[in-house]
Each structure stands twice: as C-alpha cells, then as structure tokens.
Amino acid sequence: MDRRTFLGTALAAGAAVPLLGAPGAAAAPAPAAGMSWPAGQVLPRFAAPTELVTADLSAHSPADQLTLVTLQGIVNRTRPRIYLLADVTEGRATWLPDTGVPYSGPVPLADLVAAYRSEITGAVVPDPAQPQSVSVATSLAGLDDAVVASAETAAALGLPVVADLRGRFADDLAASRWQIDNLWPHTTHRAVISMNTSLTGYLRDYAVAMRALCVWLDHSDPAQKALIEQLADGMPAYSPYMGWLRGGESPAVETLSRRSVQVLAADTAQNLSVWAGVPAAPALLKHGRPHGRPHRRAAPAAANKIYVTLTFSDGDNLQYAQHKMRQLWDDPARGQVPLNWPVTPQILDAAPALFAHYRRTATDGDHLLAGPSGLGYVFPSAYPPASFDGFVSRTADYARALGMDSTVVINRLDSTYTPLTEAAVHSYATRWGPRGIFQNWSDFETEQLVVDGTPVARSRMALTQDELRTGLSRAADAWTAAGGTSPVFTTVFLNAWSMTPTLAAAVAAEADDRYIFLRGDQFLSLVAEVTPGQR
C-alpha cells in the first residue's frame, strides 16, 4: 500500500499514522521532477513555464478557492501550467505579461480538474467546524497529490475522497499536534508554511508543490508555542518559516531567530509555483540567475548640509514585493526624490522575474537593497553566535547575485528595539562587506555610527507627511545646535502602507537648501567619509 492510500485509510479509521523513522530523524522528501532545490538554496526553483491557463479566484467561494490553489500546486510541481487571477493591489493581471509565455482563459474549475485529472488522486475534505483542519488538509494535499475540497465539490467533480477530516479532531490544538506527529516526518523540513486558515487563495500552491507542512500556530499560547519550537528545532539552519505569525510578531521572530530559523512574510503571495519557474530578463541573467554590479550613483562632495535618505518599510515581505510595492513603484512621482526600496533576497529563488522588473525599470533615484535583516527576517541579537556568520554568508551570496550592496536590519529583544552589537556588525562587515546598514525603524534620532568601516544608520519611522516633516525638523535642530559647521545625517523610514512617492516628494519639495536628499548608497558613502569610526 503506498503512502497516499495509507494516510487516507488511517485517517478514515481514526488511527494514528505510524512514523517512517524515529521522531526528528525522518528524511525529507526528494524534490519532485521539475523542481530544483540543491543544498544552500533557500527555496526551490521550478521548471520554466511554456504556456499558462488562467482561472479566476474571485469567481469562486472560499472553499472552491482552496480547491483551485491546491490543484495549482499539484499541477505546477512538475511544470508551471496554471496561473490564478485575483483582485489584488497591483491589479488582476498586472504581472502576467512578465511570465513571458502565452496564456489563455480564465477557465472554470471543473474544466481545470478534467484537464489535469490524471495528476490528482482525489480530494481531502476539511472540517468546517475546525479551522485548523484547513492546515492539515493542505499538508495532506501536498503529500497525497490531492486537492482540498468540500464533500459537495468533490462529488460534483467526481473526485474520490482520500481523506475526510470531518469530526476527526476535537479542537485546533489536537489537529496541529496530530499533523506534527504524523505528517511532519513525511514533509520537507526545509520550510514550514504558516498562514491564517481563512486565507484560501494564496501561497498554498507553493506549500503543496514543495510538500511542506502548513500550520497556523499561536505563539502566545504556551502549548502551541512549544509546537513552533519543535518545528524550528527540526529545521535546518537558515530555513524559512514562511507566511506570517500569530500571537505577536516580535516574540515569534525572537523564538525562531534563537533556533537559526528565519521568517519570510509571504502569506498573501500568489502564483509562486509559477514565478519560481519564470526566469529573470536575459540581461540580468548569469547561469540562470539575476546578477550584476549594484546600480550606484557617486556621492556628492561633503558639505555642511543636512543629508536625508528615505527608505520604504516592509522589505522583509515577499507579498509586499509582489503587491503593494508594485503599486508604489507605479506612482507617477517615483524618481522625483531619491528612495530606497528594500526587497527580500529570497526573491531570487521565489520570483526572480519580479525583481528583474524593478531592476529594469528603476530610475536614477531608486536604490534597491536587502530587506530586514538580510537573507530573512531575524533579530541578530537573538541569533546563535555560532550560526550567525553562516546566515550573513548566505545573505552575501544572495545579495551579490541581485546586485544589492546594503541592507536594513531590525533588531529587537523582548519586543524592544535594541542597537546592533559590535559582533553582529563585524559579521556583516567581514562576511559580506555591505556599503552600510539601516538599522531599525524607531526613534533613534540622527545618531550614526561606523563600526568596522561599516556605517550603521539609525532611523525613525514616518507614517504620515507630518511625521516626515517632524523628522526633517529634528535634523535641522541638530544641525543648528552644532552651529551649522558640520554635516548632519538623518534616515527616515516611510511606512509603506500609508506613505507614497507622491507624498514623500511633496514634503521634499518644501525643504530649503540646507537639505540634500540622497539615495542610500550615496548617503552611506558620505557617512563613512565624514564620521569617525567607532568600536
């Protein structure tokens, strides 16, 4: 009896599924044909699509969206063939031409199932009374090559039920414990997908395609936190806990950082099982991957001025790069004032063509850099020193491939912003050698440091134009207090969900000639030039 049939039979009988190996020692499944996931590569790459058929998520109920997105994961695992349309920030089909292949549709769910019926074993039916059963069903779908579907949809599509979760679990905690005990040994350990069970049209294609465990665990609940720790302890160092977090962002990131696991916000990313196969534009390729020297501008000669650089937030977020960042990028005022745009380096694996679009269409005022805190979202002060150098080395590999020469770093302990240690900066300096670091987005005023030759630019956050004006005013106060005899540097993060290039450009236009707005690379070069090194 094969594993798929065994899992379904055991579920139907209410039995536990015996582990294939000792707990914590089970071998991860080999990547499917059509996927490439060598050691050292954070996320899998897929085969290149040759043509795509589209389906409209917005035309379906949430339950049937689950069916569509899990079908997409099964089919695209061997070669991307299905692309799902949705009412997202940047527009339903804004990115679709960037796939570079012909596409058709949209077509109905029933027609898609009929077209790919030979690749589907059947349906996994979640329990409407137990939300966490959606996570279990997603994990099973990846292992069983099955779609997640309601009993009614499965019957209408003529799909046999390979696993029925209705009435199977007493509560959500029981569902989570069951799948960690019984499915985790069979899924990949190189990534865990964490996403709200109410999200039906996102990311699950990627989870299914790479046979990852899908969870929605609450870090604020001790029993569920223990399960998060169990999963993280079973993951290889530098692996992504992908999706988002429940029960407190900072505490959860700290827990994962202490186990050398990084967070990749991606819970509303779409069509990653397509984008992971679409190559970047040929001009940005080297051995099939984007590359190139950073797009740099020379810094002006230092003068007694107030130097300002503006950086959008949320560069740790893959879904932001796909959705909100594209909307901001298309703002007609982009280029009127220099702006820094953090992007997660893991886009190199997950969606290189999206990054290539930003590189290709950047103005001279746009500076692309790595999102917090390099390869992924971690708190360096919580990260084990023995493995932090490895994290930075992997950051360097990805950043260099993407032409990034600086990074944002968020560092918190006990949910409080904390300055980077000299040891952490030393690791960035020696293992990568970035032009500099933009640290945190809290009220650190205008203090700048240079450690090991690496500028560490501390910053404040602006959610509104008035808060940006306040940041500029405080920099002017510091400049005046120093007698206007030496330059002052101020970095301001612009909240990506409330600020836009148009709003930022309007405030910059109000500034007098004491202010000079610079790209991040220019800004960091000047900081290094005029600020004494501190150790």
Side-chain angles (χ1 to χ4, degrees):
M1 183 180 294
D2 68 20
R3 180 179 63 191
R4 291 190 296 264
T5 305
F6 185 76
L7 289 172
T9 302
L11 272 166
V17 178
L19 304 183
L20 296 182
M35 290 175 57
S36 173
W37 204 353
Q41 182 174 295
V42 181
L43 291 167
R45 294 281 291 138
F46 288 29
T50 56
E51 59 181 341
L52 295 166
V53 61
T54 65
D56 186 357
L57 279 168
S58 63
H60 294 81
S61 67
D64 285 354
Q65 288 178 6
L66 281 172
T67 306
L68 269 173
V69 76
T70 50
L71 171 66
Q72 181 187 36
I74 296 165
V75 171
N76 289 0
R77 182 188 286 151
T78 51
R79 181 175 296 277
R81 287 163 284 170
I82 298 175
Y83 190 100
L84 301 181
L85 303 172
D87 295 326
V88 288
T89 303
E90 74 278 13
R92 296 168 56 77
T94 297
W95 285 110
L96 189 51
D98 287 70
T99 62
V101 300
Y103 51 88
S104 60
V107 302
L109 171 60
D111 291 354
L112 275 181
V113 170
Y116 300 109
R117 180 64 185 87
S118 63
E119 301 179 41
I120 309 164
T121 61
V124 180
V125 178
D127 186 348
Q130 296 295 345
Q132 189 58 30
S133 71
V134 171
S135 298
V136 180
T138 304
S139 303
L140 278 168
L143 291 171
D144 287 9
D145 296 341
V147 298
V148 177
S150 66
E152 295 75 17
T153 294
L157 296 174
L159 296 175
V161 174
V162 299
D164 190 341
L165 304 183
R166 291 174 295 177
R168 178 66 178 80
F169 305 112
D171 53 33
D172 279 352
L173 181 59
S176 296
R177 282 177 169 158
W178 183 88
Q179 73 158 338
I180 291 171
D181 287 345
N182 296 292
L183 303 186
W184 176 238
H186 306 299
T187 63
T188 181
H189 287 193
R190 295 181 66 180
V192 165
I193 304 298
S194 171
M195 59 187 302
N196 196 314
T197 56
S198 66
L199 294 175
T200 54
Y202 307 93
L203 192 59
R204 296 179 194 277
D205 61 311
Y206 205 52
V208 168
M210 62 178 163
R211 296 190 172 101
L213 196 77
C214 190
V215 299
W216 186 232
L217 294 166
D218 188 344
H219 188 275
S220 66
D221 176 72
Q224 295 185 62
K225 178 185 177 184
L227 295 179
I228 294 172
E229 293 171 339
Q230 179 181 341
L231 293 174
D233 287 341
M235 299 171 71
Y238 322 119
S239 298
Y241 196 85
M242 184 175 182
W244 195 230
L245 308 166
R246 181 184 181 194
E249 174 183 339
S250 290
V253 173
E254 184 170 340
T255 289
L256 293 166
S257 296
R258 292 192 182 282
R259 289 160 174 79
S260 303
V261 171
Q262 42 114 345
V263 174
L264 174 57
D267 54 326
T268 61
Q270 289 189 304
N271 295 302
L272 290 188
S273 61
V274 175
W275 291 113
V278 178
L284 297 177
L285 288 178
K286 182 178 183 181
H287 306 304
R289 303 178 74 151
H291 83 295
R293 290 175 298 176
H295 177 207
R296 292 175 176 166
R297 292 186 65 187
N304 294 331
K305 296 288 187 178
I306 303 166
Y307 292 102
V308 183
T309 195
L310 306 177
T311 304
F312 273 107
S313 67
D314 287 83
D316 62 311
N317 191 329
L318 185 58
Q319 66 206 26
Y320 160 76
Q322 185 177 40
H323 302 314
K324 185 63 174 180
M325 181 174 166
R326 178 61 189 267
Q327 184 186 43
L328 294 170
W329 195 261
D330 291 343
D331 186 310
R334 180 173 61 87
Q336 293 181 16
V337 62
L339 293 169
N340 306 316
W341 302 87
V343 179
T344 174
Q346 292 167 92
I347 202 170
L348 180 64
D349 298 330
L354 304 191
F355 184 80
H357 173 86
Y358 294 124
R359 279 284 301 271
R360 186 173 62 252
T361 59
T363 72
D364 284 344
D366 297 314
H367 178 58
L368 293 161
L369 66 159
S373 291
L375 181 66
Y377 183 16
V378 303
F379 298 153
S381 289
Y383 214 90
S387 57
F388 188 67
D389 281 351
F391 172 82
V392 175
S393 293
R394 284 161 176 78
T395 295
D397 290 342
Y398 275 70
R400 289 168 183 151
L402 292 165
M404 296 173 170
D405 64 356
S406 53
T407 188
V408 176
V409 173
I410 295 178
N411 194 47
R412 299 189 189 112
L413 289 175
D414 296 324
S415 300
T416 301
Y417 283 109
T418 303
L420 283 172
T421 64
E422 290 184 9
V425 178
H426 179 75
S427 185
Y428 283 108
T430 57
R431 298 285 172 163
W432 176 14
R435 188 173 289 262
I437 294 169
F438 294 102
Q439 189 196 346
N440 298 334
W441 44 55
S442 61
D443 202 351
F444 275 108
E445 302 301 336
T446 58
E447 180 186 8
Q448 313 297 334
L449 303 173
V450 176
V451 180
D452 274 348
T454 302
V456 181
R458 295 177 174 175
S459 62
R460 56 180 291 109
M461 173 69 85
L463 280 73
T464 65
Q465 286 180 303
D466 281 344
E467 290 185 359
L468 175 54
R469 291 184 182 102
T470 297
L472 299 181
S473 177
R474 289 186 180 182
D477 291 343
W479 185 79
T480 301
T485 59
S486 60
V488 165
F489 297 89
T490 190
T491 67
V492 181
F493 274 93
L494 305 176
N495 183 277
W497 309 103
S498 58
M499 291 293 289
T500 66
T502 292
L503 295 174
V507 174
E510 300 167 1
D512 58 43
D513 62 5
R514 294 174 298 170
Y515 294 91
I516 297 179
F517 290 82
L518 299 175
R519 283 172 34 139
D521 51 346
Q522 299 172 301
F523 180 91
L524 293 167
S525 293
L526 280 183
V527 170
E529 177 184 334
V530 305
T531 304
Q534 299 185 31
R535 300 192 60 85

